[in-house]
Amino acid sequence: LVSSFVNRARQLQLRQNYRKLIDETQLNKEELVKPDSNGLMENIAKAHQLFKDVNETRGAALDSKFMTLAVTLGAQKTNLLQTDLVAFQPDEFIAKLVTCMGGTVSEDKDEIDIPENGWNVLGQKTATYFTSLTPALHPLLGAFEAIETGKTNRQATQRNKQKETSTKVQLPKELTNYKDDKKEATPEEIERVLHIINTFYKDDPASPIDYFELVVNPESYGHTIENIFHLAFLVKDGLVKIFLNENGLPVVEPVNVRPDDISPRKKVQVIVSLSMDEWYAIIDAYQLKDSLIKILF
Amino acid sequence: MSSSQRNFDKAEIDRKVNDVVHLMLIWEQRKIPIKRADINKHVLKEYRHAFNDVMKITDKKLQKVFGLKLLEIGEGGKRAYILVNMLEHSETQQMMNWNDNPKRGLLFTVLSLIFMSGNSMTDGTFWNALKGLGIEKDKPHPEFGDVKKLITQEFVRQWYLEIVKLPNCDPPQYEYKWGLRAYHETSKMKILEFVTSLYDKSSVMVWKSQYQDALEEQRKTI
């Protein structure tokens, strides 16, 4: 009698444990089906332990219930394993983006550090995944007349009509002005720059000329840019070469001054830009007072 | 309208076409789809009855000269036009220094998140995810400033995103989805390619359900 009472209590406990296990498994099923989780196996082991002491039908029925659940989840888990499926986790995706941008995340995930250029980098990397990127028009003088009121439009068309009749007279005038303005970009100007470079190099054959000392005109930003422009032509035509000296500074040297220099000409394309701030900085750093390439006019 | 006006002055039509081409290219600055009413108001005016003819020629010119196609998207009251690049883009597109790279990076992130999460995300989940990028909904961002405005207003006005209020929710909840324009400027498959390469996986097919989804979309557009 005593043992049957003890047994009934034991069986009750087992059934309670089974119900708890089933509920737990149901609740955590998303976690349990993940390929890297051992939870399901652990729960099955727990059920196995419980079953050892079961000796009545109700307990056995609960065990069956659990096993049915476990088998269903097991099947789902297998499915995920077989196709090498990866579940998309937003947090994981975001973390990888941070790395992609060259950023870092602290251990406790509290500090996210994305470099200044990070978003620009991401934008460039993702540009190819857009099937359509459209450039927009940015008129130099702003949006055109058609967006203004109709009044201006009609005035503009009237003006245009008047212009049409006098174009013939205007054309020749424009052409002659154009020729004069072209002086700076003519081959003559470029030759002059070459001549200046050769003269300076002759004075001091061992040392190439510093690039910035050569092109910067401390009195005119515009002329500095023109010098860069002319120098670019000389490099393009292989008359002059630019390279970095042992201090990492760009220097200029005429080509073919050294008879023993038979090294093949390497063509490298570089884009040079100089903002006005940078121009000021160079004048300051080099303490430039005068320009090597004098303005003609 | 007298019949003489209805005899379309070809020269005038050509002028209008050129103006529409200009208008569309400048309108593209804001990336907001342009409506028929806008085109009529700013350019066509008394020639609005020639709208269809003008638009046909405009499309041809945009294609021939700029490699851009005129696309009508949306239905009914929400119909508008956008420009779509016709040319096959190559690596040069990636090399080009586009002005709005950061915004594009953010947009792509947002579109990827939404698609990979099953084409929609509740605003709670959405902003929670963005926290991992240092983006807080109500804090000014060093790169984007008012991110909330950028995402919930600008991207929506540009038809990149659609934000829908969920019914029967208190406090109000919103669902973030792709806007019509997004479908024309990128594709689910492209997103999948990006994500696959980001995760360094062997094939887009590891994302089982998203792959099926992307495949469906491909079949529809062809």
Side-chain angles (χ1 to χ4, degrees), chain A residues 159-172:
Chain A
R159 262 186 270 127
N160 281 335
K161 284 193 187 136
Q162 283 173 358
K163 260 197 181 158
E164 272 170 0
T165 51
S166 55
T167 355
K168 280 207 184 125
V169 178
Q170 279 192 358
L171 264 173

Side-chain angles (χ1 to χ4, degrees), chain A residues 28-97:
Chain A
N28 294 322
K29 63 176 181 207
E30 305 287 349
E31 262 301 314
L32 296 175
V33 295
K34 283 194 185 155
D36 51 2
S37 161
N38 279 326
L40 193 58
M41 287 308 291
E42 285 164 11
N43 286 5
I44 293 175
K46 280 190 200 153
H48 192 70
Q49 277 291 36
L50 292 176
F51 191 68
K52 281 197 185 135
D53 291 336
V54 169
N55 59 19
E56 42 90 56
T57 48
R58 274 183 294 176
L62 280 171
D63 184 82
S64 295
K65 189 171 175 191
F66 172 76
M67 283 316 289
T68 316
L69 175 61
V71 160
T72 315
L73 293 181
Q76 281 180 23
K77 192 168 176 167
T78 318
N79 224 6
L80 295 178
L81 281 171
Q82 271 174 356
T83 57
D84 193 21
L85 200 96
V86 185
F88 180 74
Q89 306 277 23
D91 290 338
E92 192 185 353
F93 174 63
I94 296 294
K96 290 194 191 281
L97 280 181

Side-chain angles (χ1 to χ4, degrees), chain A residues 79 83-98 100-101 105 112 114 116-117 119-139 142-144 146-150 153 157, chain B residues 19 22-23 25-26 28-29 31 42 45 68 83-85 89 93-96 98 101-102 104-106 108-109 112-113 116-117 129 131-135 141 143-144 184-186 190 193-195 197-199 201 206-208 210:
Chain A
N79 224 6
T83 57
D84 193 21
L85 200 96
V86 185
F88 180 74
Q89 306 277 23
D91 290 338
E92 192 185 353
F93 174 63
I94 296 294
K96 290 194 191 281
L97 280 181
V98 173
C100 180
M101 292 196 260
V105 183
I112 298 138
I114 295 181
E116 217 179 288
N117 200 35
W119 284 103
N120 187 35
V121 166
L122 184 64
Q124 253 179 316
K125 285 194 184 165
T126 54
T128 38
Y129 295 96
F130 278 87
T131 53
S132 162
L133 284 180
T134 46
L137 198 68
H138 294 269
F144 66 115
I147 292 188
E148 287 177 72
T149 58
N153 215 2
T157 43
Chain B
D19 285 346
H22 270 282
L23 183 68
L25 291 172
I26 290 179
E28 190 65 19
Q29 282 177 24
K31 283 230 169 277
H42 292 297
K45 303 180 212 194
L68 299 172
L83 292 179
V84 167
N85 199 335
H89 60 200
Q93 190 154 300
Q94 194 179 50
M95 283 195 325
M96 281 179 70
W98 297 90
N101 268 332
R104 188 171 298 109
L106 179 63
F108 200 78
T109 303
S112 304
L113 265 177
M116 295 300 288
S117 300
K131 275 205 196 134
L133 286 166
I135 293 177
H141 189 264
E143 176 76 50
F144 301 113
H184 289 283
E185 288 194 11
T186 182
K190 285 273 172 197
E193 283 169 24
F194 171 69
V195 178
S197 100
L198 183 72
Y199 276 65
K201 293 285 176 193
V206 304
W207 313 98
K208 205 160 170 212
Q210 293 94 338

